[in-house]
Amino acid sequence: MRPKNLAKEEAIRTVALQIITEEGLENLSMQRLAKAANVSPRTIYIKYENKEDFLIKLFIEEVLGAYEQAVLENFSPELGFAEGVKKIWLNTFQYLTQNRPSFALLQYGKSSPLLNQAYQKAGIRQGQFFAPIHRFLESHTAAGLIRNFPPDVHRALLFSPLLDLISEYFDYQSRPTQLITEDLVLACCEAVTKGMLT
Amino acid sequence: MRPKNLAKEEAIRTVALQIITEEGLENLSMQRLAKAANVSPRTIYIKYENKEDFLIKLFIEEVLGAYEQAVLENFSPELGFAEGVKKIWLNTFQYLTQNRPSFALLQYGKSSPLLNQAYQKAGIRQGQFFAPIHRFLESHTAAGLIRNFPPDVHRALLFSPLLDLISEYFDYQSRPTQLITEDLVLACCEAVTKGMLT
DNA sequence: TTTATTAGTAAATAAACGTTTACTTATTTA
DNA sequence: TAAATAAGTAAACGTTTATTTACTAATAAA
């Protein structure tokens, strides 16, 4: 049996992320992807059932896993609230600003019905993903340190401003000076943290 | 000269918003839109140059204008900080939860390169849009009441959690009970407000 | 070394895409 | 009432889409 050429599989995935980042998800076609990855269209269909299957697997296996790992690096649910939130913010900011394709796909996950399905499947809102953060928030809530909100609401308050700042980071990347610096992000982190306290 | 049939123009726009809301921007094709609006494809091209022109005008003229008006209703830059933020939050929450197509298009504006252009064109980040809110934030910053951040950053802290909560509102709409109530939103508003104070 | 089996290719498929062509209809104005 | 003109239609345009067909290439097991 002829063995799989793993380099081709990888080329398909990385070229796909490149096209999505530079020209948007709507400009990624299977034929174009195949040509850019120096591969026959049929080769993509060896591993993936169809385009939808490909995108969902690209999202879950290539993006979400690495993202979660980066965000949780050196984080522990036992950390103090301010310290834990700061760690999460710094990890997220540093990882996503250095991995634009991941950020682009995460943003698409919020609007595209197709990728939104993948989100649900990955259990982001159910807390299977980022479980340590879930526990972290629950324990500090139980201790009465932070306001008693449902987990989804905690997540909205904690993460959405940060993702918005990262979006602005990329907007300003094409201009003479960068508005969104790490110091500024840490100041925002402090503001968000303070607001959540009881 | 044969007069324009305004009902057809309106049908095109409302049917487009319907399709985008229910099946996503990526499933809106000109031929499909024409058929669903009971119109010949050519009719769309009487008013709009091409698909891009149509979407941008739909976004700016149909969505952004009404959205800004709703958000700013009974708002004044002279209001106290907590009071002003609360008014904005309530206006936004009430309007967008009742106008899902507007919310859907606003979300697409963040990921789709095409609509993102429209955002920039409308000057959302430059403060031409929502100018009263811009003045509101500037004066309270100058007075030393809230932290001294750039306007884009203020906007990220203030609005992004709210939009995330509205997104969750729609997620929960298909389930037995609604998680995101007006009371909960107001409690979050209080948290965000508190965090922004110096 | 042959056979079986999967990887991979080039080219083709039907369907859908955005847009246009060729034409008809409805209305105003002269 | 007739001429002028823009609105609107049905059908088609060439292109691109996702996917498949028919085939070749490469390797492991026999």
Side-chain angles (χ1 to χ4, degrees):
Chain A
M1 174 176 91
R2 180 176 176 177
K4 231 177 260 208
N5 186 342
L6 293 175
K8 292 198 175 178
E9 277 192 10
E10 207 195 315
I12 291 169
R13 289 195 300 266
T14 61
V15 167
L17 289 174
Q18 234 169 69
I19 294 177
I20 292 171
T21 305
E22 287 162 16
E23 306 188 45
L25 185 56
E26 52 269 57
N27 289 307
L28 180 79
S29 81
M30 299 304 261
Q31 289 182 129
R32 210 187 140 184
L33 171 58
K35 185 166 275 185
N38 263 310
V39 139
S40 160
R42 185 70 184 80
T43 304
I44 305 175
Y45 289 89
I46 292 171
K47 181 144 197 228
Y48 306 100
E49 240 180 81
N50 50 40
K51 188 180 185 180
E52 183 170 334
D53 183 49
F54 169 66
L55 287 176
I56 287 180
K57 284 184 175 150
L58 183 74
F59 184 52
I60 292 184
E61 291 166 16
E62 201 78 359
V63 173
L64 278 185
Y67 173 53
E68 183 185 30
Q69 201 183 348
V71 169
L72 295 180
E73 189 163 301
N74 293 320
F75 173 83
S76 149
E78 273 80 37
L79 286 177
F81 185 66
E83 196 188 353
V85 170
K86 186 175 169 184
K87 175 126 298 181
I88 292 168
W89 270 56
L90 263 184
N91 282 347
T92 304
F93 181 70
Q94 285 165 357
Y95 179 73
L96 288 182
T97 51
Q98 299 307 312
N99 292 272
R100 186 155 192 182
S102 299
F103 181 69
L105 262 187
L106 286 169
Q107 289 294 94
Y108 272 110
K110 291 188 183 166
S111 53
S112 147
L114 200 157
L115 287 184
N116 202 25
Q117 251 184 289
Y119 254 98
Q120 309 287 340
K121 214 170 162 183
I124 287 193
R125 289 237 159 117
Q126 287 75 40
Q128 292 133 272
F129 238 83
F130 296 107
I133 294 179
H134 193 248
R135 286 204 303 280
F136 170 76
L137 290 168
E138 283 224 312
S139 82
H140 284 300
T141 307
L145 185 72
I146 58 175
R147 291 164 195 255
N148 185 18
F149 290 142
D152 282 347
V153 173
H154 272 147
R155 233 187 331 270
L157 292 175
L158 249 189
F159 287 108
S160 60
L162 175 55
L163 291 177
D164 230 47
L165 290 174
I166 293 170
S167 165
E168 287 179 10
Y169 173 92
F170 287 119
D171 286 352
Y172 278 93
Q173 208 170 42
S174 52
R175 304 190 204 173
T177 53
Q178 176 58 260
L179 174 70
I180 311 296
T181 63
E182 198 170 288
D183 282 351
L184 183 58
V185 166
L186 283 178
C188 289
C189 178
E190 210 188 289
V192 167
T193 303
K194 181 179 156 196
M196 292 183 71
L197 299 177
T198 45
Chain B
M1 173 175 93
R2 180 175 176 178
K4 232 177 258 208
N5 187 340
L6 293 174
K8 291 196 176 180
E9 276 192 12
E10 206 196 315
I12 291 169
R13 290 194 299 267
T14 62
V15 167
L17 288 174
Q18 232 170 69
I19 294 177
I20 293 171
T21 306
E22 286 161 16
E23 307 188 46
L25 185 57
E26 53 268 56
N27 289 307
L28 180 81
S29 81
M30 299 304 261
Q31 288 183 123
R32 212 189 138 181
L33 171 57
K35 185 166 275 184
N38 264 311
V39 138
S40 160
R42 184 72 182 79
T43 305
I44 305 175
Y45 289 89
I46 292 171
K47 180 143 198 229
Y48 307 99
E49 238 181 82
N50 48 39
K51 188 179 185 181
E52 185 171 331
D53 182 50
F54 170 66
L55 286 176
I56 288 180
K57 283 184 175 149
L58 184 74
F59 185 51
I60 293 184
E61 290 166 18
E62 200 78 359
V63 172
L64 277 186
Y67 173 52
E68 183 184 31
Q69 202 183 348
V71 169
L72 296 180
E73 188 161 303
N74 293 319
F75 172 82
S76 149
E78 274 81 37
L79 285 178
F81 185 67
E83 195 188 353
V85 171
K86 185 175 169 183
K87 175 127 297 180
I88 292 168
W89 270 55
L90 263 184
N91 282 347
T92 304
F93 181 70
Q94 285 165 356
Y95 179 73
L96 288 182
T97 51
Q98 299 306 312
N99 290 272
R100 184 155 194 181
S102 299
F103 181 70
L105 261 187
L106 286 170
Q107 289 295 93
Y108 271 110
K110 291 187 183 167
S111 54
S112 149
L114 199 157
L115 287 185
N116 203 25
Q117 253 184 287
Y119 253 99
Q120 309 288 340
K121 214 171 161 182
I124 287 193
R125 290 236 159 119
Q126 287 76 39
Q128 292 133 271
F129 237 83
F130 295 109
I133 293 179
H134 193 246
R135 287 204 302 280
F136 171 75
L137 290 168
E138 284 224 314
S139 81
H140 284 300
T141 306
L145 185 72
I146 57 175
R147 290 164 195 255
N148 184 18
F149 290 141
D152 283 346
V153 173
H154 272 148
R155 232 186 334 267
L157 292 175
L158 249 188
F159 286 108
S160 59
L162 175 55
L163 291 177
D164 230 47
L165 290 174
I166 292 169
S167 165
E168 286 179 12
Y169 173 92
F170 288 119
D171 286 352
Y172 278 93
Q173 208 169 42
S174 52
R175 304 189 202 173
T177 53
Q178 176 58 261
L179 174 70
I180 311 296
T181 63
E182 198 170 288
D183 282 350
L184 183 59
V185 166
L186 283 177
C188 289
C189 178
E190 209 188 290
V192 167
T193 302
K194 181 179 156 196
M196 292 184 72
L197 299 178
T198 46

